[in-house]
Amino acid sequence: MKLGIVGLPNVGKSTLFNSLTKAGALAANYPFATIDPNVGVVAVPDERLKVLTEMYNSKKTTPATIEFVDIAGLVKGASKGEGLGNQFLANIREVDAIVHVVRCFEDGNVVHVDGSVDPKRDIETINLELLFSDMEILERRAAKVIKQAKNDKSLQKEAALLEKLRPFLEDGNLAKKFEPADEEEEAIFTSYNLLTAKPVIYAANVGEDDLADDGASNPHVRSVRDYAEGEGSGVFVVCAEIEAEISELEDDEKQMFLEDLGLSESGLDKLIKASYSLLGLISYLTCGEDESRAWTVTKGTKAPQAAGKIHTDFERGFIAAEVVKFTDLVDCGSMTAAKEKGLVGLQGKDYVVNDGDVILFRFNV
C-alpha cells in the first residue's frame, strides 16, 4: 500500500511524516528512505505475527508494509508550478490513497500561510490544486485523442468520455464524484490516475489537549469531520508533536507514554486502521520455521489470487488452500491439534480469504 501525504505549509505535515516513518521504519530488508528523502517504508503493526513467530520459532518475521510519500511545497498555484508543488504532484499519481494533513490547532508561534486556521478553506485550497493538475492531464490527453478519434474508431469511446469529464471537473467537481457509464468507460477513467479520484483520509492535526476526547470538543475537527462525511472520506485525529515524541521511544516506553496521555493507540496505528478500512484491505498470514509473514489483499479476494501475492506460480498452479482461523490455531497450540479438532479446512478456488486466516497453499507447476 502506498499513501501520499499532502497539506499546506505549517500544518504539521512534515513533522507527521517524519515521526510516522521513524516510528515504524523498518531495518534489514526495508531501510528507511532508500528511494528518495521524501519516501519512507513503514511496518504495519500486527500482534498476530509475534504470536506465530514464537509458536513456530520462525527465523524471520515479515510484516505487511506501507510506503509513505511526502509531497512538499503544496501552496496556492502549485499546479502551475508555484512553490515546489508541481514537480511533486506527479509523485502521488501512483499512490493508493491520499493522507491530507489539516491544521486544527491554534498557535501564535506557528504562522498559517493564509493568516488564520480554517480547515474547510485549507482543504478546498489543496483540492483545487489537485483538480487543476487533473484538468491539465485531461487537456493534454484530449488534444491528442479527440483529433485522432475522427479517423480512429477505437478512440471514439475515450473521446466521448473526455467530452463529458472535462466540463465536469471544470465545474469544480472532484473526479471521485464522476460516474462512468459502463465498464469500458470505467477502465479508461481509471487509467488516467486522477488525483481527485483517489480515496482521502484527513489527518486532523490537533494540540495535545484535544487528544483525550479524540478532538470532539475542537470546532476545527468537527469542521473536518463534516467535510469528510460529505465526500465519503476517512478522518483520524492526531497530534504531530506527540507523534514526534513517541517516535523517539522504545516499544515498552511507547505504551506507557500513551497510557499516561489516556490513549490506547498511536497516530500511526490510527492511520493504518483508517487506511485499511477506506481501501477495503485485510491481512492473511503464513507461518513456519523459516518465516512468519502478513500479506495484504483486498476484501473479497479468492484463494488463488491471494496465493499469487506470494508468487505467480502459486496462483497458476493452485490446487487447494489449508485454512485455519488465527484464533483457532492459537487456542489449539499447533496446526496438527487444529486439524484433529476439524478446524482446518481444505478450500478450493472459490474460497474468499478472511482477515486473520492462516493459510498453507498447495500448488503444482
Side-chain angles (χ1 to χ4, degrees):
M1 177 163 52
K2 196 171 184 179
L3 302 177
I5 302 183
V6 302
L8 291 170
N10 295 343
V11 297
K13 179 178 63 68
S14 292
T15 303
L16 184 63
F17 170 79
N18 292 334
S19 56
L20 291 181
T21 48
K22 188 173 181 182
L26 291 167
N29 293 351
Y30 301 95
F32 171 55
T34 51
I35 310 163
D36 204 281
N38 65 322
V39 177
V41 180
V42 167
V44 175
D46 194 331
E47 289 299 317
R48 299 173 300 194
L49 269 185
K50 291 181 186 174
V51 175
L52 291 176
T53 297
E54 287 173 14
M55 185 184 284
Y56 282 88
N57 200 21
S58 306
K59 294 172 190 167
K60 188 177 172 188
T61 308
T62 308
T65 58
I66 295 179
E67 192 174 297
F68 287 104
V69 184
D70 183 27
I71 311 304
L74 270 193
V75 292
K76 268 183 188 167
S79 57
K80 298 281 184 280
E82 292 294 324
L84 297 169
N86 203 33
Q87 59 184 298
F88 287 114
L89 280 171
N91 294 356
I92 48 173
R93 292 228 169 255
E94 303 307 315
V95 302
D96 299 301
I98 291 172
V99 179
H100 186 160
V101 184
V102 187
R103 177 169 168 174
C104 293
F105 64 89
E106 302 280 355
D107 185 343
N109 296 319
V110 183
V111 178
H112 191 289
V113 70
D114 285 326
S116 62
V117 178
D118 184 341
K120 186 172 181 288
R121 178 201 61 209
D122 292 354
I123 289 170
E124 288 174 347
T125 296
I126 294 285
N127 280 350
L128 202 55
E129 294 308 318
L130 300 182
L131 199 57
F132 285 150
S133 185
D134 283 347
M135 284 157 61
E136 193 181 316
I137 292 280
L138 294 181
E139 285 299 328
R140 287 206 300 266
R141 185 66 190 159
K144 183 179 178 182
V145 170
I146 293 171
K147 188 177 178 182
Q148 291 180 354
K150 291 171 185 172
N151 303 313
D152 186 347
K153 284 188 177 179
S154 68
L155 292 173
Q156 286 175 1
K157 183 86 175 181
E158 183 177 1
L161 170 64
L162 286 165
E163 296 285 15
K164 290 188 292 181
L165 184 54
R166 285 161 66 213
F168 183 82
L169 296 191
E170 283 163 9
D171 285 344
N173 299 301
L174 303 182
K176 68 178 73 177
K177 293 179 181 173
F178 182 78
E179 294 181 11
D182 52 36
E183 285 185 11
E184 193 181 346
E185 242 187 38
E186 174 88 48
I188 300 167
F189 175 77
T190 303
S191 73
Y192 295 143
N193 237 344
L194 299 176
L195 297 174
T196 61
K198 294 184 184 295
V200 175
I201 303 163
Y202 292 103
N205 187 17
V206 300
E208 183 183 332
D209 294 344
D210 288 319
L211 276 180
D213 69 351
D214 204 37
S217 55
N218 182 322
H220 298 314
V221 174
R222 285 200 295 276
S223 172
V224 174
R225 284 185 169 134
D226 289 345
Y227 192 95
E229 191 177 338
E231 63 175 34
S233 296
V235 179
F236 76 104
V237 174
V238 66
C239 175
E241 282 192 352
I242 291 295
E243 291 302 312
E245 290 182 44
I246 290 173
S247 71
E248 302 288 343
L249 302 174
E250 298 298 327
D251 283 350
D252 53 343
E253 293 176 316
K254 278 180 194 174
Q255 204 50 49
M256 286 170 61
F257 185 71
L258 288 169
E259 284 169 9
D260 287 346
L261 290 169
L263 304 174
S264 58
E265 57 188 354
S266 70
L268 177 59
D269 293 336
K270 280 187 189 177
L271 174 53
I272 288 168
K273 281 182 183 173
S275 306
Y276 270 62
S277 173
L278 188 69
L279 297 172
L281 301 174
I282 59 169
S283 291
Y284 76 85
L285 309 156
T286 55
C287 55
E289 284 184 18
D290 287 333
E291 182 183 43
S292 286
R293 181 163 183 164
W295 305 86
T296 303
V297 292
T298 309
K299 278 179 190 168
T301 297
K302 292 185 177 179
Q305 287 69 49
K309 273 282 193 182
I310 300 174
H311 199 287
T312 50
D313 284 352
F314 281 32
E315 182 175 357
R316 194 157 48 92
F318 180 88
I319 298 171
E322 286 186 26
V323 183
V324 61
K325 288 181 182 174
F326 169 78
T327 47
D328 287 342
L329 179 59
V330 173
D331 289 345
C332 293
S334 71
M335 188 67 90
T336 305
K339 280 180 181 176
E340 286 171 359
K341 290 189 177 179
L343 297 172
V344 180
L346 194 62
Q347 306 292 351
K349 290 184 177 181
D350 290 330
Y351 177 74
V352 176
V353 173
N354 295 299
D355 186 61
D357 278 352
V358 180
I359 306 179
L360 175 65
F361 291 106
R362 293 183 186 177
F363 69 103
N364 183 31
V365 178

